[in-house]
Amino acid sequence: MSRVDEPAGPVRDTTRTTTSTTSNTATNTATSAVPPGLLGRVPRDLSRVALVHEDRGITFGDVAALSEDISGVVRGHHLTRRVVGVPADRSPEFVARIVGLWSAGAVPAILGDWGAARVRGALTATGAVATFGPSSAPAGLELLDDGVPSPSRLDGGDGLDGLHGLRGFDEEDEEDVRGISHILFTSGTTGRPKGIVVGRAAFEAASMAFFKELPMDESDRIAFLSRPGHDPSLRELIAPWLTGATLFIPDSRTAADPRLLAAWLSKHSITVLQGSPVLLQLMAGSSGLPVDSLRVVCSVGARLTAAALRSTARFAPQATIANCYGASETPQVVCVHQVPPGKGVAGEDPVPIGRALDHAVVKIVPIDTAGGESPEGRLHVEAAACALGYTDGTPLLTTGPDGRWYDTGDIVRRLPDGSMCFVRRADRQVQVNGARVELDEIEGAAALVAGVAEAVATFVEDSSGVGSVRLTIVRNSTTAIDSDELRAALHDHLDAAVVPSSIEVRDSLPDEPAVVDAAQAEDPAATLWEVLHESARSALGQGRSDGRIDPDDGFFEAGFTSMSLMRFVSEVSVQLGTEISPLLVFRYPTLNAFANYLRENLDDVS
């Protein structure tokens, strides 16, 4: 690939009409960077603050000017209607890149925090012709050598041939293909990233329905907490343009530490946040004081348990807690169940997922059983509220006598009041710390390593809804398995959130998972320390060569994040054969304190 720091054409497009705000306030030629449709629906005073990053206010005009520069570079290289990779992070540059690509008519393929192999696979899957570097790097594009279109190829054509990586669309979808909004990535059974192609019309309808259900205005202060690259983060990203609210972006250190996040929310008087049930529980468990400024808390990305609901209700006593249900394919929230302030502390399982929003039509397809139809069924979403398709050509929609539908694979049950509750998955797709993965993909990534004869991934979820993946490897008889190589391969091919918390190498598959019985060991104290150190090594991953930490260092000071701490606690739970609450790491925040607690409470550590 080649790096291009200067455009092959004009940086700014000055031919577009400058728009003014509804209040006749400041105008600026940079408003030309605001694309028609979604972000241009509600004009804003360009002098108002749209984003706050590291305590620095960034106005709508600032974002528009930066996105205009990006848009000019994209147009100058004739990348209109081409796919461009965008590394996702919590930064003003990420926001500006998305807006700039939309303005230029290009399609952003949003890349997660992945290893090099997964990034390459994602770019290949979409037929991307260019990619941005990290936000901290210069703003230039990297043109991919095997996919850069020539200007003559675009002149006189509609440019759709540039989306050569997007396969599997019906002819009736052609008009929608012209209105692609973005591409997100999810798991696939092949072990390769599978792109979800999201149309502008469906994304806009879902976004508008969400903000109608949970209204926000210019007084709101929204936290950018969702994992960048996941569809909930896009709601946060566009909220300032659709509602006038201000988006607050935490720095990377704060975002990785629930203790700092809780204090950050209070400091900035945040009123709206989204978070996975695990993150919500971690912030609640690490904070000694509630955050009274919160008025809306959205649980996203995983099943909301009653335990997580109760923790969140105590953490945000003035907030409405919204259990948001949806998928990247829908492509945003489809159903919402609202719990008014003060009601969450009495929550019981299952927490409903509620009813469909105005933009979506859903149906429950009953499951046939030997004794007749089950009261449970598979949840289907009508095509108009769904993405356009997958980049690998896998069918997204099924056609029946009543139209085209997306089968979510979720088993739900209708409640007496007409709302719905989630029951279970119908397949091997799981949610880990808000990230979605198919267990087959984890097994496929492990199978790429020399010496692996068989790999079996399983998912375990505790009573508070914290889930983890465990991997059992069967070695072959001729090649030794290098455990470091195995871990490196998993980190390179998988989203960091779904790397197994426990990896066991065996000569054959066990009938039952083996655990360490610390109480029967010859030296229980020595066994416990080995479990803790090996679990730390597994959780910290490639960033640490040995995974051993100073036993008197705080976990976060030692390099843990909320995600790696969850893997650490899950691995310790597996090895000791008992359920351990992840909130204990905040009550006992060093390895010594945690070990002392476990020694005294091995019979009752949950």
Side-chain angles (χ1 to χ4, degrees):
M1 64 179 64
S2 58
R3 174 169 292 281
V4 178
D5 292 316
E6 296 295 335
V11 173
R12 293 187 184 274
D13 177 2
T14 58
T15 63
R16 306 175 87 182
T17 302
T18 299
T19 58
S20 62
T21 66
T22 55
S23 59
N24 293 320
T25 52
T27 60
N28 189 311
T29 55
T31 53
S32 62
V34 179
L38 186 64
L39 297 187
R41 182 177 294 273
V42 183
R44 296 291 166 196
D45 176 356
L46 293 181
S47 66
R48 288 192 62 250
V49 173
L51 316 173
V52 175
H53 182 236
E54 297 180 352
D55 295 330
R56 181 171 65 94
I58 301 168
T59 67
F60 283 96
D62 294 333
V63 178
L66 180 56
S67 61
E68 175 75 352
D69 288 339
I70 292 168
S71 179
V73 171
V74 171
R75 285 193 295 267
H77 284 289
H78 308 283
L79 301 182
T80 298
R81 291 192 185 158
R82 268 42 189 182
V83 179
V84 178
V86 184
D89 59 15
R90 295 184 185 89
S91 71
E93 291 78 12
F94 174 59
V95 177
R97 285 172 171 181
I98 297 297
V99 176
L101 286 168
W102 279 339
S103 180
V107 179
I110 303 177
L111 310 172
D113 182 16
W114 307 324
R118 187 170 179 83
V119 169
R120 287 194 301 271
L123 293 172
T124 300
T126 63
V129 297
T131 183
F132 286 101
S135 294
S136 58
L141 286 172
E142 294 181 7
L143 301 181
L144 307 181
D145 296 333
D146 58 350
V148 179
S150 65
S152 60
R153 182 178 170 190
L154 295 176
D155 293 340
D158 63 14
L160 287 178
D161 56 347
L163 299 175
H164 57 81
L166 310 185
R167 303 182 295 276
F169 300 112
D170 298 332
E171 290 183 4
E172 62 190 277
D173 290 325
E174 183 174 332
E175 290 303 313
D176 286 333
V177 171
R178 296 174 186 267
I180 292 174
S181 171
H182 58 275
I183 301 173
L184 295 174
F185 294 90
T186 187
S187 175
T189 56
T190 60
R192 295 187 297 272
K194 182 167 63 176
I196 299 171
V197 185
V198 178
R200 180 182 287 273
F203 177 55
E204 180 173 349
S207 300
M208 298 302 292
F210 176 82
F211 289 114
K212 178 182 178 182
E213 178 75 12
L214 298 168
M216 300 168 200
D217 59 31
E218 294 181 359
S219 67
D220 277 308
R221 303 158 75 87
I222 301 175
F224 192 174
L225 298 189
S226 298
R227 294 186 66 218
H230 289 226
D231 54 291
S233 68
L234 293 176
R235 292 193 292 275
E236 296 163 347
L237 184 153
I238 65 176
W241 282 266
L242 292 185
T243 71
T246 303
L247 182 65
F248 284 73
I249 307 175
D251 60 57
S252 57
R253 179 169 175 264
T254 299
D257 187 338
R259 302 169 305 169
L260 299 179
L261 266 182
W264 180 85
L265 295 174
S266 293
K267 173 185 176 182
H268 293 288
S269 299
I270 298 298
T271 62
V272 179
L273 68 80
Q274 298 185 118
S276 69
V278 171
L279 177 61
L280 296 177
Q281 289 181 88
L282 289 176
M283 288 192 296
S286 64
S287 175
L289 297 173
V291 181
D292 290 322
S293 62
L294 287 168
R295 69 170 194 86
V296 176
V297 175
C298 298
S299 174
V300 298
R303 180 175 67 92
L304 177 64
T305 64
L309 176 59
R310 288 191 292 268
S311 294
T312 305
R314 289 189 288 267
F315 177 65
Q318 309 301 320
T320 293
I321 301 170
N323 187 21
C324 300
Y325 170 87
S328 298
E329 287 90 347
T330 55
Q332 289 280 311
V333 171
V334 172
C335 302
V336 170
H337 171 70
Q338 296 191 38
V339 180
K343 300 296 184 182
V345 292
E348 297 182 358
D349 278 327
V351 178
I353 61 173
R355 296 177 173 84
L357 300 183
D358 290 346
H359 74 292
V361 176
V362 303
K363 67 178 180 180
I364 300 176
V365 179
I367 302 172
D368 293 328
T369 64
E373 287 188 352
S374 167
E376 302 171 349
R378 298 172 74 108
L379 183 61
H380 288 214
V381 180
E382 198 271 330
C386 295
L388 299 174
Y390 296 111
T391 56
D392 67 355
T394 302
L396 188 147
L397 303 174
T398 57
T399 302
D402 56 348
R404 299 194 301 164
W405 299 81
Y406 167 61
D407 179 359
T408 66
D410 289 332
I411 307 299
V412 301
R413 181 170 65 250
R414 183 82 67 180
L415 299 175
D417 66 356
S419 64
M420 298 173 289
C421 68
F422 172 82
V423 179
R424 65 184 183 279
R425 284 292 302 176
D427 56 19
R428 300 188 76 211
Q429 178 183 296
V430 299
Q431 293 276 359
V432 186
N433 296 325
R436 188 173 104 188
V437 69
E438 294 177 25
L439 295 176
D440 291 346
E441 181 180 12
I442 296 174
E443 294 169 354
L448 298 174
V449 178
V452 174
E454 190 172 0
V456 177
T458 57
F459 178 73
V460 179
E461 189 177 56
D462 67 19
S463 58
S464 63
V466 177
S468 61
V469 176
R470 299 164 186 178
L471 180 66
T472 301
I473 296 295
V474 177
R475 63 169 70 92
N476 65 34
S477 58
T478 59
T479 306
I481 293 180
D482 185 315
S483 58
D484 290 334
E485 180 185 352
L486 176 59
R487 292 182 191 280
L490 293 175
H491 278 275
D492 203 28
H493 287 85
L494 301 173
D495 187 319
V498 302
V499 172
S501 61
S502 169
I503 302 175
E504 182 184 14
V505 179
R506 301 176 60 90
D507 293 321
S508 62
L509 289 176
D511 294 328
E512 297 292 339
V515 299
V516 175
D517 187 347
Q520 296 180 5
E522 293 183 5
D523 186 351
T527 300
L528 178 60
W529 273 112
E530 285 304 313
V531 167
L532 293 177
H533 283 305
E534 179 58 29
S535 299
R537 182 176 185 273
S538 174
L540 288 171
Q542 291 175 288
R544 297 284 292 265
S545 59
D546 58 8
R548 293 183 179 268
I549 63 177
D550 187 321
D552 293 314
D553 267 357
F555 286 117
F556 289 100
E557 288 73 19
F560 281 94
T561 65
S562 57
M563 185 188 303
S564 58
L565 264 183
M566 293 307 95
R567 290 199 294 267
F568 168 70
V569 175
S570 175
E571 170 72 355
V572 173
S573 297
V574 172
Q575 295 298 325
L576 299 183
T578 186
E579 183 177 311
I580 300 173
S581 169
L583 301 183
L584 288 172
V585 294
F586 297 105
R587 292 172 58 189
Y588 307 97
T590 70
L591 202 61
N592 261 335
F594 190 55
N596 289 337
Y597 175 83
L598 293 180
R599 288 193 195 96
E600 297 173 4
N601 298 273
L602 280 176
D603 291 332
D604 185 18
V605 295
S606 62

